[in-house]
Amino acid sequence: MNGYGGGGAYGLGEPRGLRERAREYALLPLRIFLGVTFVYAGLDKLTDSGFLSATGSGSIGELMSTVRDSSAIPALVDLALRSPEGFGYAIAIGELLVGLGTLVGLWARLAALGGALISLSLWLTVSWQSTPYYYGNDLPYLMAWLPLVLAGAPMFSADAFLASRRRRSM
């Protein structure tokens, strides 16, 4: 045996295990992209005093007031408008924690679920009125989180490290 599998699409062999290795690492680029993006989004909001205001240009309060009547669930927007600053901080801190959890791979499924819920809430409120729907970016983010909700972070993660430690101690 030469270590190559049989065939492939054009009869060319490929090293055994290459597909398996690719599957193992398949979610890593998505995890890095979503983690970095959410950390950046959270930090961007936390460092923008204009965003974390109830009123004014570029504020979370103004944004929520603007999208209230065109959102899928106006009651969600009304809830945010009760305390726009608190909602802004909640979103920003949530994005930061989700991003860090995703990058480190600590409680990765829970972090991904948090990212999916943030994306879902933003889709149903802020980007709901985007026409056609694919112009809004929150729906693709929601879909991007779902594989990580299902699979977690099996490679290069705190979860994988902790699982291997548990297995060794048994």
Side-chain angles (χ1 to χ4, degrees):
M1 281 286 181
N2 62 7
Y4 288 87
Y10 297 100
L12 301 174
E14 68 181 35
R16 279 192 190 201
L18 185 60
R19 284 186 182 174
E20 289 79 16
R21 225 172 296 134
R23 272 190 216 110
E24 289 175 4
Y25 294 95
L27 293 178
L28 194 56
L30 184 60
R31 202 174 111 208
I32 292 168
F33 170 76
L34 290 171
V36 168
T37 301
F38 268 56
V39 166
Y40 179 77
L43 289 175
D44 190 43
K45 288 174 180 70
L46 288 172
T47 58
D48 182 354
S49 59
F51 174 80
L52 294 170
S53 300
T55 60
S57 180
S59 69
I60 184 68
E62 179 184 294
L63 175 64
M64 291 288 107
S65 294
T66 302
V67 301
R68 194 241 176 244
D69 293 332
S70 62
S71 70
I73 306 176
L76 272 178
V77 179
D78 290 339
L79 185 62
L81 285 170
R82 287 186 186 168
S83 176
E85 298 96 336
F87 179 72
Y89 276 106
I91 289 290
I93 292 169
E95 287 174 336
L96 184 60
L97 292 175
V98 162
L100 290 172
T102 300
L103 284 173
V104 173
L106 182 61
W107 299 328
R109 283 189 170 106
L110 182 61
L113 180 62
L117 291 174
I118 290 170
S119 296
L120 176 64
S121 68
L122 292 174
W123 176 55
L124 292 173
T125 56
V126 177
S127 63
W128 181 257
Q129 74 281 0
S130 296
T131 304
Y133 74 92
Y134 51 82
Y135 279 174
N137 64 350
D138 297 309
L139 182 58
Y141 276 104
L142 170 60
M143 295 298 121
W145 282 112
L146 296 181
L148 297 178
V149 170
L150 296 171
M155 301 298 295
F156 301 113
S157 68
D159 290 345
F161 173 75
L162 294 171
S164 71
R165 285 190 65 194
R166 280 191 300 268
R167 281 191 300 271
R168 280 184 280 176
S169 68
M170 291 183 166

